[in-house]
Amino acid sequence: MIRLLEKDVKIPYDLLLLADETVDAIDKYIHQSDIYVFELENKMIAVFALQTISSDTVEIKNIAVDTAFQGQGIGQELLKDAISLAKEKGFKKIIIGTGDAGVKQLYLYQKVGFEIYEIKHRYFIDNYPEPIFENGIQLKHMIVLKKDLN
Ligand code: ACO
């Protein structure tokens, strides 16, 4: 089961940093986001953050599963939970962005119904102080995927 993290509790940066490079980058959205956590035996092992973009669109700004628990289907379940939550809240669209070299993420997001609809050119070059590498490839552009919730 996931639960919404209360606003006054410690932000789980350790998990969020698995999906984003720096605390500064996370701080640009996390304080305006709802943070949902997944716990096992009272230990927080996964997280996602939802930010309202407009009256009809919500964005998954960050999704991360503790490395020891990755590859067991938790990420996929959390994406489905995020989609259900967005629907329940009455949003029409849910979006998620990832790096162009994030092969696993691109696969996973499309598997749960997201479709690529925008490329933010040079996003990771222009918005981060250091080059970021994933799968041995420098991240350059952000791929934004969308799922209609009708
Ligand atoms: N390459 C391709 N596919 C892979 C790989 C890989 N290296 N590893 C796993 N997969 C597949 C799995 O086989 C599974 O597919 P299947 O059901 O067809 O077998 C699918 O990916 C989903 O696997 P899950 O077990 O549900 O994913 P997981 O629990 O590991 O969560 C996540 C995915 C959130 C990306 C996790 O790996 C993670 O925290 N990674 C580090 C942080 C990160 O990159 N977050 C996303 C950044 S973008 C953003 O936050 C908006």
Side-chain angles (χ1 to χ4, degrees):
M1 281 294 289
I2 53 161
R3 71 176 175 89
L4 177 64
L5 206 61
E6 301 82 4
K7 290 286 176 199
D8 53 351
V9 304
K10 204 168 140 262
I11 292 173
Y13 285 108
D14 50 343
L15 283 172
L16 296 164
L17 279 165
L18 296 173
D20 212 334
E21 291 307 298
T22 63
V23 169
D24 278 353
I26 294 168
D27 277 342
K28 289 189 178 136
Y29 55 79
I30 206 67
H31 304 289
Q32 300 85 45
S33 300
D34 284 335
I35 305 171
Y36 290 87
V37 296
F38 174 74
E39 290 159 321
L40 268 184
E41 294 167 0
N42 288 326
K43 186 180 176 330
M44 207 180 280
I45 60 157
V47 66
F48 65 85
L50 286 183
Q51 183 180 26
T52 300
I53 302 300
S54 69
S55 58
D56 68 354
T57 306
V58 68
E59 178 169 354
I60 303 173
K61 297 295 294 188
N62 187 306
I63 179 164
V65 177
D66 184 325
T67 46
F69 295 89
Q70 288 178 11
Q72 299 177 20
I74 296 169
Q76 191 169 319
E77 285 311 310
L78 290 187
L79 284 165
K80 289 180 184 166
D81 288 339
I83 291 165
S84 301
L85 272 167
K87 256 188 210 169
E88 276 168 28
K89 289 172 186 278
F91 290 104
K92 303 270 188 296
K93 282 182 285 182
I94 183 165
I95 62 173
I96 188 164
T98 192
D100 46 358
V103 178
K104 173 180 169 179
Q105 293 86 336
L106 285 168
Y107 163 78
L108 176 55
Y109 303 158
Q110 289 176 88
K111 194 173 171 194
V112 296
F114 286 87
E115 287 181 16
I116 293 171
Y117 87 104
E118 187 187 2
I119 298 175
K120 292 186 177 171
H121 287 275
R122 293 181 53 87
Y123 183 88
F124 293 98
I125 299 171
D126 294 340
N127 288 284
Y128 289 84
E130 304 288 337
I132 305 166
F133 289 86
E134 192 161 340
N135 301 318
I137 303 166
Q138 185 181 353
L139 292 191
K140 291 182 180 159
H141 317 301
M142 180 187 276
I143 313 287
V144 187
L145 300 96
K146 177 183 76 164
K147 181 174 168 58
D148 289 324
L149 299 171
N150 301 325

